[in-house]
Amino acid sequence: MRALVTGGAGFLGSHLVDRLRAAGHDVVALDDLSTGRAEHLAAHRGDPRVTLSTGDVRDRGLVRREVERADVVFHLAGAVGVRRVAEDPAGTWSRNVEGTASVLEACARGGTRCLIASTSEAYGPTAAGTLCEDHPVVLDPAGRRDVYGVSKVAGESLAIALHRTSLLPVTVVRPFNVVGPRQSARYGMVLPRFAASAVRGEPLTVHGDGRQTRTFLHVADAVDALLLLTTTPASEGLLVNVGSDEEVAIADLARLVVAVAGTAAPLRFVPFADVYGPGFTDPLTRRPDVSLLRRLTGFAPRLRLADAVADAVRSAREAMAPV
Ligand code: UDP
């Protein structure tokens, strides 16, 4: 089988490329290297069965050519990180909306099996409780981070519409805080940031009072879920949460990271307004209902939060080590 992974040099994408190759498939990683890094695919250098195609998913000709040669397409390319989104709303919009339309249209032409990554942000910043896929999307077009959510929901909507009208075999996943090795601390994600500070013994910056909760899914489990979904025809035309139900408060996560790092790094609490400016709403909770994923594929995470924290700390130490 030949797989196309857009965003294949990124965090989740490169782990997926590794796994597809290990399973004996040919893989093309399409990535513009804006946030992805060629080094993430360094293990495949010289391997003719893994190709890095450097290009933009908004380049319709390029995408069409790559999709035509693929048996399955994983569309993971998109704008990354709350911080980057806040700084570049127009770029976020264009990458996510035009990029996703380009991939979906190319897949629809040949009826190519595809999976697109949306986001748990689709539920909006005020959604609470355990979020099921039929939970209404409540996004405020004027919200500080909602341009990201709205742009991802636009992609979801097109995917489902193309499934309905053209029988496009597409599954839309909504990942909830995927973490693990290779995730950069640069784009604002909490676990790599905490790990980078903790291993240096520097203060961990906790936003707000740290009582907001998240669930974290190890990237190895996330890759399992994506692969299982693409081999499950019953997932076509559906939105599916991909996440863990192990919930943790952000301040407790910070303490756990410091304990695993074994340093005396302190926590520093900073008001949200000081981080992102006024008008920014941070979700208080974000916990997925994962029963649809389980029912469709039998998936259950094999790794726990403690594993993800241990891996993040190890990664942060490696990034610090002189080469
Ligand atoms: N966060 C934090 N310190 C950081 C980065 C993030 O306290 O250095 C908080 C952030 O405000 C949010 C949570 O950690 O409450 C998760 O943030 P992330 O950006 O990783 O994911 P998301 O907000 O998209 O769930």
Side-chain angles (χ1 to χ4, degrees):
M1 191 179 79
R2 185 181 168 95
L4 173 65
V5 181
T6 75
F11 159 57
L12 175 56
S14 63
H15 284 280
L16 179 61
V17 169
D18 292 347
R19 191 76 67 81
L20 285 162
R21 179 64 188 91
H25 304 303
D26 292 334
V27 194
V28 175
L30 174 62
D31 203 301
D32 69 356
L33 302 181
S34 55
T35 53
R37 298 174 58 195
E39 299 93 275
H40 288 162
L41 300 173
H44 306 289
R45 263 182 212 139
D47 179 349
R49 299 185 63 187
V50 176
T51 312
L52 172 61
S53 166
T54 308
D56 193 310
V57 281
R58 290 166 289 189
D59 178 343
R60 292 195 177 225
L62 171 67
V63 166
R64 214 174 263 183
R65 282 195 301 280
E66 293 295 358
V67 168
E68 271 168 10
R69 297 160 65 209
D71 302 300
V72 61
V73 174
F74 297 87
H75 175 49
L76 311 182
V80 174
V82 175
R83 193 166 284 190
R84 214 158 166 269
V85 168
E87 282 162 8
D88 183 17
T92 297
W93 183 265
S94 147
R95 269 170 207 289
N96 290 354
V97 178
E98 292 164 32
T100 302
S102 153
V103 173
L104 288 172
E105 281 171 18
C107 291
R109 283 166 67 89
T112 307
R113 178 71 168 110
C114 62
L115 175 146
I116 71 165
S118 180
T119 172
S120 56
E121 299 254 333
Y123 293 104
T126 53
T130 305
L131 299 169
C132 195
E133 290 84 353
D134 61 4
H135 190 283
V137 165
V138 183
L139 290 163
D140 168 10
R144 280 293 299 271
R145 69 195 266 168
D146 286 7
V147 69
Y148 178 75
V150 174
S151 69
K152 295 298 269 188
V153 170
E156 295 186 340
S157 187
L158 179 60
I160 302 302
L162 288 174
H163 173 75
R164 201 181 307 121
T165 55
S166 322
L167 301 178
L168 173 67
V170 60
T171 303
V172 180
V173 298
R174 287 177 169 170
F176 282 64
N177 298 77
V178 176
V179 291
R182 299 182 197 152
Q183 188 171 37
S184 171
R186 211 173 304 154
Y187 308 114
M189 276 71 142
V190 68
L191 183 52
R193 282 173 63 80
F194 280 177
S197 301
V199 297
R200 290 180 167 79
E202 292 168 3
L204 281 68
T205 304
V206 177
H207 302 164
D209 62 11
R211 283 194 291 183
Q212 69 274 26
T213 65
R214 295 291 187 274
T215 61
F216 294 91
L217 182 70
H218 195 289
V219 66
D221 282 323
V223 165
D224 275 349
L226 303 193
L227 291 171
L228 284 167
L229 283 166
T230 47
T231 51
T232 303
S235 74
E236 290 172 18
L238 297 181
L239 299 167
V240 186
N241 289 340
V242 170
S244 149
D245 48 19
E246 191 181 353
E247 197 170 8
V248 62
I250 294 302
D252 291 337
L253 176 72
R255 291 183 192 103
L256 178 62
V257 172
V258 173
V260 170
T263 60
L267 309 195
R268 188 164 58 96
F269 291 82
V270 181
F272 282 108
D274 291 3
V275 185
Y276 297 112
F280 181 87
T281 311
D282 189 72
L284 271 178
T285 65
R286 189 171 285 148
R287 185 177 62 236
D289 182 323
V290 284
S291 50
L292 177 61
L293 175 63
R294 198 178 309 126
R295 207 163 54 242
L296 285 167
T297 65
F299 171 84
R302 285 177 299 164
L303 297 169
R304 312 275 305 164
L305 176 64
D307 301 306
V309 169
D311 278 357
V313 168
R314 196 175 314 121
S315 253
R317 280 225 174 84
E318 283 165 13
M320 249 174 87
V323 279

